[in-house]
């Protein structure tokens, strides 16, 4: 049975509607939609414009406040009033985001030169987000915002329709100063971001004046005026001149700032924090270090900040012997007392495209914008001067022929064309004459007109001369820049001091150096007792467990554990449980191979040496410093021959006086100076005891134990219930060359169970 042909969706629609349908591939539609969204976020949300240095929301807030009459000399008004106007007229987005943008422009610890004068709770340096709701705060424009708005109504910028076309708003504000560099700007767009640090107005202004005088100036020339960023806080900028220059040369990089501290008696007083660093966050970070016992040299911490001292954090060292500089270097490295700031001078240029720009390009492009703005202002003024002169010329004709003008107006229903024909005047001049009031017909008005005419003619000549001369135009821009420097300029807040990056004190140096005894049980449980007099054999062990090994050292060192596979593991000694308990499995802190058993524990300095060996009769000497590994899986040290096992390690006191004592399972003992063994970092080692290969493979003979004995010590050898003591001087009877076979022990000691060292 043939299947029925399905009707397409298109065929069901009426013909007129089908003609209106536009078909588009889903991939093409989504690509276009995403690109449109991306460009909107980049151009209309996240990135500032090089002209006025503002993002759209900031520009609209400033403009809306100026339209509300909230100048620097007016009364404060509720911030909700401003936010409502901004959202309803120019920026149809969230009120909280708009208000937060407004708050940032009012915070003197966020903006180097605040644009809004706030009244009420606008947040604090300790918690910038603690500002009150917009229904509680009041605001007006700051005096400095005049540099953005002063020339707004003078034809300097283009006006564009707002989002619904009911009003016009400026596409840019006619900034008299390069705001793009004066106040910090951060933003995240789609696929790009911006982080522009703040600068000092005086330095930037002088660099612009220099660039107007010498357009071919290099970056080094401008850096004679601009020494670096100038943050709202008084913390030091510690980046090197090379790093700062690289940032200005490429528009990318990073800068470092560091808190300022001083000594007051035995206390350390922090008086200035890096930009956007909270004092409470610093206290929290230091307190966390203290609670984690990673800051033992600090005894107390408190915040004494008040209105007179906005930043005053007090750190009390534990004693007068604490190195204050070393302590602060550690805090700089481990807290936000030293902070790195990313620099990405990405902005929208005069061509309408986003681009990361170096310093020289920014200043040159802004000066192009400024010169063009001044030219538009002068041309706007010139047009009005010429229009006014044209009107004054017509009014003067009317005053000179006042009786005839009055007669024409009285005798004609349409006097305008008659006046234009009789006196050869324009439509504008005739309209101005007809709008004259009777009280302006006095004789003195003629003198006022001639006086105004002379003043305007003089102004016209000056405007035309300035517009016609590039040199005069630059001179005017320089003059206005200098006026703003004199009005708003101030001293640098952030000193630039080259310092090396802070280095944290190592964890071992932070831990108190106290004597400790680390005890390892046969089943791999570890614990530590305070002092060097702890008797490991006298401790309690779990049922079925017993003493295996012990090492004496200090809490600021690491304990090293040797397992049955020949691997060595490092664990900080200060974190072991107390010897009063049963301890914890050392395997819980490490990742040993399956079935591995821990044989011995070692402690000491990096230059201390231990002897490592296997039952196959091979071994070598190694320094503890060569065995250090931070890997939980340990470090392979001893190569174990097939059929052999790892023996417990033995500490070496002296390479010249100590002797190696190797015991075989058949009851033989071989002694020789420890200096005959090689010093290695890992491997199989050299032959210690000569065991015939056939006997070792069959298990008939192997090296049972190996110890190191020093002068004055004695060997205690146990075989079953028997034991004997061999003094150091009696070892001569068993001394031979390394790699030989030993001499038999006395009768009854053919099966050695244990070998101990008696002091």
């Amino acid at each position: 049975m043939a299947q029925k042909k399905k009707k397409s969706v298109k065929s069901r629609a009426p013909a007129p509607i089908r003609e209106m349908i536009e078909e588009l591939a889903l991939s093409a539609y989504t690509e276009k939609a995403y690109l449109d969204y991306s460009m909107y976020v980049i151009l209309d949300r996240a990135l500032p414009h090089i002209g006025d240095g503002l993002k759209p929301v900031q520009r609209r807030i400033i403009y809306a406040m100026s339209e509300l009459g909230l100048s620097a000399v007016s009364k404060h008004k509720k911030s909700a009033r401003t936010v409502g106007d901004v959202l309803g007229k120019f920026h149809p987005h969230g009120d909280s985001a708009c208000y937060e943008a407004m708050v940032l422009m009012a915070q003197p610890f966020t903006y180097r030169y605040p644009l809004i004068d706030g009244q009420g709770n606008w947040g604090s340096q300790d918690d910038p987000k603690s500002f009150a709701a917009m229904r509680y705060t009041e605001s007006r424009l700051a005096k400095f915002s005049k540099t953005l708005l002063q020339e707004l109504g003078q034809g300097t910028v283009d006006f564009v329709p707002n989002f619904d076309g009911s009003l016009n708003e400026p596409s840019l504000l006619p900034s008299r100063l390069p705001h793009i560099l004066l106040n910090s700007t951060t933003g995240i767009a789609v696929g790009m971001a911006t982080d522009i640090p703040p600068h000092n107005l005086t330095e930037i202004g002088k660099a612009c004046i220099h660039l107007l005088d010498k357009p071919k100036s290099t970056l080094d020339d401008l850096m004679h005026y601009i020494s670096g960023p100038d943050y709202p806080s008084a913390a030091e900028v510690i980046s090197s001149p090379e790093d700062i220059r690289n940032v200005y040369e490429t528009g990318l990089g990073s800068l470092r700032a560091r808190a300022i501290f001083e000594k007051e008696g035995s206390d350390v007083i922090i008086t200035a924090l890096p930009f956007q660093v909270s004092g409470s966050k610093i206290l929290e970070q230091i307190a966390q270090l203290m609670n984690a016992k990673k800051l033992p040299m600090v005894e107390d911490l408190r915040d004494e900040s008040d209105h007179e001292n906005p930043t005053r954090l007090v750190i009390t060292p534990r004693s007068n012997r604490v190195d204050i500089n070393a302590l602060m270097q550690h805090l700089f490295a481990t807290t936000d007392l030293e902070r790195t700031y990313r620099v990405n001078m990405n902005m929208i240029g005069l061509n309408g495209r986003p681009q990361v720009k170096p310093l020289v390009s920014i200043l040159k492009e802004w000066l192009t914008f400024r010169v063009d703005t001044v030219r538009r202002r002068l041309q706007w003024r010139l047009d009005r001067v010429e229009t006014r002169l044209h009107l004054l010329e017509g009014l003067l004709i009317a005053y000179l022929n006042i009786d005839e003008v009055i007669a024409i107006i009285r005798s004609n229903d349409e006097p305008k064309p008659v006046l234009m024909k009789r006196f050869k005047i324009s439509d504008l001049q005739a309209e101005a004459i007809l709008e004259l009031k009777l009280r302006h017909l006095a004789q003195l008005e003629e003198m006022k007109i001639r006086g105004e005419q002379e003043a305007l003619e003089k102004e016209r000549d000056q405007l035309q001369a300035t517009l016609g001369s590039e040199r005069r135009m630059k001179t005017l821009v320089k003059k206005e820049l200098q006026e703003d420097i004199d009005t708003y300029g101030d001293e640098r807040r952030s000193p630039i001091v080259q310092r090396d990056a802070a280095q944290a004190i190592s964890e071992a140096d932070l831990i108190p150096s106290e004597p400790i005894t680390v005890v390892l049980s046969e089943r791999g449980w570890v614990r530590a007792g305070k002092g060097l007099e702890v008797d490991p054999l006298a401790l309690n062990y779990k049922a079925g467990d017993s003493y295996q090994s012990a090492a004496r050292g200090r809490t600021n060192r690491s304990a090293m554990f040797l397992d049955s596979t020949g691997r060595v593991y490092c664990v900080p000694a200060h974190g072991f449980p107390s010897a009063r308990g049963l301890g914890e499995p050392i395997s819980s802190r490490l990742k040993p191979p399956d079935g591995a058993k821990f044989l011995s524990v070692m402690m000491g300095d990096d230059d201390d040496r231990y002897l490592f060996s296997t039952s196959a009769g091979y071994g070598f000497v190694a320094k503890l410093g060569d065995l250090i590994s931070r890997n939980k899986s340990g470090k392979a040290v001893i190569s174990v021959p097939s059929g052999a096992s790892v023996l417990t390690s033995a500490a070496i006191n002296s390479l010249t006086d100590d002797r190696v004592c190797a015991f075989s399972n058949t009851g033989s003992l071989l002694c020789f100076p420890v200096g005959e063994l090689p010093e290695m970092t890992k491997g199989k080692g050299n032959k210690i005891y000569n065991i015939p290969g056939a006997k070792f493979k069959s298990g008939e003979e192997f090296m049972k134990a190996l110890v190191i004995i020093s002068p004055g010590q004695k060997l205690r050898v146990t075989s079953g219930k028997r034991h004997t003591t061999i003094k150091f001087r009696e070892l001569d009877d068993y001394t031979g060359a390394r790699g030989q076979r030993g001499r038999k022990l006395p009768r009854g000691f053919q099966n050695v169970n244990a070998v101990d060292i008696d002091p």
Side-chain angles (χ1 to χ4, degrees):
M1 189 176 190
Q3 293 182 351
K4 292 183 179 179
K5 187 176 181 181
K6 294 183 179 180
K7 292 183 178 180
S8 65
V9 176
K10 186 176 179 180
S11 66
R12 295 185 185 136
I17 297 179
R18 288 202 306 268
E19 293 177 358
M20 297 172 59
I21 294 176
E22 179 184 356
E23 291 186 356
L24 187 66
L26 182 60
S27 59
Y29 172 77
T30 53
E31 180 180 357
K32 181 179 183 302
Y34 186 73
L35 286 175
D36 290 345
Y37 164 75
S38 301
M39 292 307 297
Y40 169 74
V41 173
I42 292 170
L43 299 178
D44 203 41
R45 292 293 293 275
L47 299 187
H49 194 281
I50 192 172
D52 57 11
L54 300 177
K55 301 178 186 179
V57 64
Q58 297 169 330
R59 185 179 304 119
R60 288 162 179 165
I61 291 171
I62 298 298
Y63 178 66
M65 294 183 73
S66 70
E67 289 295 288
L68 284 170
L70 297 177
S71 66
V73 296
S74 67
K75 291 184 178 180
H76 293 81
K77 285 187 179 180
K78 288 290 185 182
S79 301
R81 174 81 178 276
T82 298
V83 173
D85 263 36
V86 173
L87 301 186
K89 294 180 178 179
F90 310 114
H91 196 73
H93 297 281
D95 58 344
S96 60
C98 178
Y99 180 52
E100 186 167 343
M102 183 177 175
V103 168
L104 294 178
M105 291 191 288
Q107 292 178 336
F109 48 85
T110 300
Y111 262 44
R112 181 64 176 83
Y113 300 95
L115 299 176
I116 294 176
D117 177 18
Q119 187 169 274
N121 178 13
W122 289 80
S124 64
Q125 182 176 355
D126 196 50
D127 186 6
K129 299 285 187 179
S130 63
F131 51 86
M134 58 184 170
R135 61 182 176 272
Y136 299 119
T137 61
E138 297 178 344
S139 58
R140 65 183 180 186
L141 290 171
K143 182 181 177 182
F144 185 71
S145 62
K146 185 178 180 181
T147 61
L148 288 167
L149 300 166
Q150 186 173 342
E151 302 171 357
L152 184 59
Q154 302 177 25
T156 50
V157 293
D158 297 326
F159 279 74
V160 295
N162 68 338
F163 62 91
D164 62 0
S166 61
L167 295 169
N168 288 329
E169 61 175 318
S171 59
L172 291 174
L173 295 181
S175 175
R176 291 169 57 95
L177 292 168
H179 281 259
I180 191 71
L181 292 174
L182 299 184
N183 286 315
S184 62
T185 303
T186 60
I188 300 175
V190 178
M192 60 180 62
T194 183
D195 288 280
I196 304 174
H199 291 78
N200 184 269
L201 187 154
T202 303
E203 295 181 1
I204 294 294
K206 289 182 178 179
C208 289
I209 293 174
H210 178 80
L211 201 56
L212 285 169
D213 288 332
K214 299 180 179 179
K216 295 183 179 181
S217 297
T218 63
L219 175 60
D220 293 327
D221 296 333
L222 297 183
M223 289 191 68
H224 285 298
Y225 302 95
I226 305 173
S227 53
D230 187 21
Y231 293 98
S233 71
E236 297 176 338
V237 176
I238 62 171
S239 297
S240 66
E242 293 77 16
D243 290 341
I244 297 175
R245 189 186 188 285
N246 181 66
V247 165
Y248 287 150
E249 186 174 23
T250 63
L252 296 168
S254 61
L255 300 168
R256 287 183 293 115
R258 178 181 292 180
I260 294 179
F261 72 95
E262 58 188 29
K263 298 178 184 178
E264 190 176 285
S266 60
D267 293 337
V268 178
I269 312 297
I270 299 173
T271 58
L273 295 173
F275 178 52
Q276 293 181 331
V277 171
S278 164
S280 60
K281 181 68 177 297
I282 294 295
L283 294 177
E284 180 182 346
Q285 291 175 339
I286 298 176
Q288 288 176 351
L289 293 174
M290 295 173 66
N291 292 334
K293 298 183 179 179
K294 294 183 178 180
L295 206 59
M297 65 281 288
V298 174
E299 181 179 13
D300 189 24
L301 181 68
R302 60 186 182 274
D303 186 359
E304 295 182 355
S305 304
D306 53 27
H307 291 291
E308 295 183 0
N309 302 289
T311 301
R312 183 178 170 85
L313 307 182
V314 183
I315 301 174
T316 303
R318 190 169 294 277
S319 69
N320 293 330
R321 292 174 295 177
V322 173
D323 187 343
I324 299 299
N325 290 326
L327 168 63
M328 293 307 298
Q329 287 291 320
H330 179 70
L331 292 178
F332 289 145
T334 55
T335 69
D336 285 344
L337 286 174
E338 180 175 318
R339 188 167 180 180
T340 300
Y341 299 92
R342 189 168 66 98
V343 178
N344 179 15
M345 294 198 285
N346 191 4
M347 62 196 70
I348 300 172
L350 297 181
N351 58 1
R353 297 180 179 180
Q355 184 181 354
V356 177
K357 299 178 183 291
L359 179 65
V360 177
S361 297
I362 292 173
L363 293 181
K364 284 185 176 180
E365 194 165 343
W366 182 83
L367 285 173
T368 300
F369 166 81
R370 180 59 189 159
V371 171
D372 182 62
T373 301
V374 173
R375 180 175 286 108
R376 292 183 62 170
R377 186 190 77 203
L378 297 181
Q379 186 63 52
W380 176 87
R381 178 59 183 167
L382 178 61
D383 292 342
R384 274 149 184 77
V385 167
E386 289 179 341
T387 300
R388 182 61 179 168
L389 285 171
H390 182 64
L391 295 179
L392 292 176
E393 184 180 351
L395 292 176
L396 191 58
I397 292 174
Y399 279 110
L400 294 175
N401 303 276
I402 190 65
D403 294 333
E404 187 177 356
V405 169
I406 293 173
I408 292 173
I409 295 173
R410 292 186 63 185
S411 60
N412 292 278
D413 294 336
E414 294 291 336
K416 182 188 289 188
V418 178
L419 290 173
M420 293 173 62
K421 184 177 180 180
R422 169 66 183 85
F423 298 109
K424 296 182 175 55
I425 59 177
S426 67
D427 182 89
L428 288 175
Q429 291 173 323
E431 188 67 32
I433 293 171
L434 292 174
E435 290 179 355
L436 275 174
K437 296 180 180 180
L438 291 175
R439 64 182 178 183
H440 291 157
L441 298 179
Q443 187 178 3
L444 291 176
E445 287 298 326
E446 180 182 348
M447 298 175 61
K448 290 182 180 180
I449 290 174
R450 292 189 181 278
E452 183 181 355
Q453 201 173 31
E454 290 178 3
L456 289 177
E457 286 175 349
K458 183 178 180 182
E459 183 181 357
R460 179 193 60 190
D461 295 340
Q462 292 176 346
L463 289 171
Q464 289 176 340
T466 303
L467 286 169
S469 170
E470 191 71 24
R471 182 178 61 82
R472 289 195 177 190
M473 182 68 70
K474 288 184 177 181
T475 301
L476 176 60
V477 173
K478 287 191 295 182
K479 178 183 176 183
E480 293 177 349
L481 280 171
Q482 188 60 53
E483 289 175 355
D484 289 336
I485 291 173
D486 297 339
T487 304
Y488 304 106
D490 58 1
E491 296 294 327
R492 163 174 284 276
R493 292 185 190 174
S494 300
I496 296 181
V497 183
Q498 182 178 356
R499 300 188 190 277
D500 296 330
Q503 298 293 328
I505 302 174
S506 65
E507 187 175 351
D509 293 336
L510 288 173
I511 299 168
S513 179
E514 298 174 351
I516 192 175
T517 301
V518 179
V519 181
L520 176 69
S521 75
E522 188 177 348
R523 292 189 175 181
W525 285 61
V526 66
R527 46 188 157 166
K530 293 182 179 180
L532 304 178
E533 307 301 325
V534 177
D535 184 2
L537 297 175
L539 299 176
N540 293 325
Y541 293 87
K542 296 182 68 174
D545 201 1
S546 60
Y547 166 75
Q548 173 69 25
S549 176
R552 292 174 172 83
R554 306 196 76 81
T555 52
N556 61 344
R557 307 296 298 182
S558 292
M560 297 186 178
F561 296 87
L562 173 67
D563 73 359
S564 56
T565 66
R567 305 184 73 84
V568 173
Y569 309 80
C570 293
V571 181
H574 67 277
F576 292 133
S578 171
R580 296 177 182 177
L582 297 176
E584 66 178 21
I586 187 60
S587 58
S588 64
R589 300 191 179 200
L590 306 171
K591 295 180 180 179
D594 294 339
K597 178 184 176 182
F598 289 95
L599 302 177
S600 58
V601 58
M602 302 164 283
M603 290 189 72
D605 296 328
D606 291 345
D607 291 334
D608 289 349
R609 294 170 172 84
Y610 273 76
L611 175 57
F612 297 90
S613 59
T614 63
S615 61
Y618 289 87
F620 62 90
V621 176
K623 290 182 180 179
L624 287 183
D626 295 331
L627 310 179
I628 295 175
S629 171
R630 301 304 175 194
N631 194 336
K632 289 187 176 182
S633 299
K635 180 179 182 180
V637 175
I638 311 171
S639 300
V640 186
S642 177
S645 59
V646 178
L647 302 181
T648 58
S649 57
I652 299 173
N653 295 321
S654 171
L655 289 174
T656 57
D657 298 332
D658 288 358
R659 293 190 183 185
V660 179
C661 296
F663 294 85
S664 72
N665 64 318
T666 59
S668 296
L669 169 61
L670 173 66
C671 297
F672 60 87
V674 70
E676 295 184 11
L677 283 172
E679 189 171 297
M680 304 169 61
T681 57
K682 63 179 181 178
K684 179 180 177 182
N686 286 10
K687 184 174 288 188
I688 295 176
Y689 192 95
N690 186 12
I691 302 174
K695 288 189 175 184
F696 178 75
K697 290 180 181 179
S698 65
E700 295 181 15
E701 188 174 1
F702 55 87
M703 195 161 69
K704 181 77 177 281
L706 185 144
V707 295
I708 301 292
I709 185 170
S710 300
Q713 294 179 334
K714 295 178 289 185
L715 282 176
R716 181 181 177 85
V717 184
T718 303
S719 178
K721 294 183 179 180
R722 294 186 177 187
H723 63 85
T724 184
T725 300
I726 305 175
K727 297 180 180 179
F728 185 84
R729 63 176 179 273
E730 296 173 351
L731 295 177
D732 292 341
D733 297 336
Y734 301 94
T735 300
R738 178 184 61 80
Q740 292 183 347
R741 297 178 61 80
R743 289 185 58 187
K744 291 288 184 178
L745 291 167
R747 185 176 179 181
F749 290 90
Q750 278 69 39
N751 187 11
V752 176
N753 298 118
V755 180
D756 298 309
I757 303 292
D758 288 341

